[in-house]
Amino acid sequence: MLSRLVFVSANAVKSSGPLGAGLVQLSHLHTSPNSQAPVPALPEKGGKTRHGIIPEELFQLLYPKTGVTGPYMLGAGLLTYILSKEIYIINHETFAAACMGTVIIYGVRKFGPDVAAFADKLNEEKVQKAQEVKDLAMTSLAQAIQDEKKEQWRAEGRQMLFDAKRNNVAMLLETNRRERVHMVTNEVKKRLDYQIALQTLHRRMEQEHMVNWVEKNVVTSITPQQEKTSIAKCITDLKVLAKVQQAKATA
């Protein structure tokens, strides 16, 4: 994977020219954690290869300069140079490595698809478990969001409940105030009625006393002769009235 990133970066630098290569070198010399570009994400699956191990990007990098046979000639030239300069000497370990490589290649080609399928199955199971955990977390979070919205709605309703209770308390206070005002009004009315009754009693007592005094003075001022005269006059008046009544009755 890292080799592919190196080849891709080399292609980008090559397309930008000498100035771009110089800027890349300067950026490697003078960089800070805040100024570095983000590292590209590794691909989920491997790219194309030739002969099992050589990346396709190497051939694409050399094609414009060397042509189609360039990468093969480069590999043959390097191998010839290493063998001619005896940088690498062929011995029994070389044959052992070739046999081991052949066995490994055969094993990869023979059992590679089955192992890859088994690994993919394990990977799919892990991904499925991770997805289940994610779905469960999403469900729980969605439920938590719904619960939070419900609690917010309840909080809003609680404010309305507090307003209603506040109004009830205000109504109770107003009722108590009016009851006390009514009680005060009744008490004041009782006192006023008492004063009126007292004044009426005083007036009646004064009138009765005045009547009794006048009557007493009148009785005391009448002489016996006046009393006899008035009695005789009353008897005479009664006789006249009797005769008038008898005349009306006979008529």
Side-chain angles (χ1 to χ4, degrees), residues 49-107:
T49 58
R50 293 192 183 184
H51 307 290
I53 59 173
I54 303 175
E56 180 67 23
E57 286 80 5
L58 176 61
F59 293 90
Q60 298 298 329
L61 178 65
L62 296 177
Y63 277 167
K65 295 293 184 180
T66 62
V68 178
T69 59
Y72 300 101
M73 294 301 298
L74 177 62
L78 287 175
L79 182 60
T80 303
Y81 176 75
I82 291 171
L83 292 177
S84 64
K85 295 298 183 179
E86 294 184 354
I87 297 174
Y88 180 80
I89 300 174
I90 298 175
N91 52 18
H92 61 283
E93 294 180 354
T94 303
F95 298 104
C99 294
M100 292 175 63
T102 303
V103 173
I104 291 172
I105 292 172
Y106 175 77

Side-chain angles (χ1 to χ4, degrees), residues 167-186:
N167 293 331
N168 290 335
V169 172
M171 292 176 64
L172 290 175
L173 293 176
E174 183 65 20
T175 303
N176 292 332
R177 187 186 70 82
R178 293 190 179 187
E179 287 179 354
R180 292 181 180 181
V181 170
H182 182 67
M183 182 179 66
V184 171
T185 303
N186 291 333

Side-chain angles (χ1 to χ4, degrees), residues 104-125:
I104 291 172
I105 292 172
Y106 175 77
V108 169
R109 291 184 178 275
K110 180 67 175 179
F111 305 104
D114 297 334
V115 175
F118 178 73
D120 292 338
K121 183 178 179 181
L122 293 178
N123 190 22
E124 289 177 358
E125 292 178 355

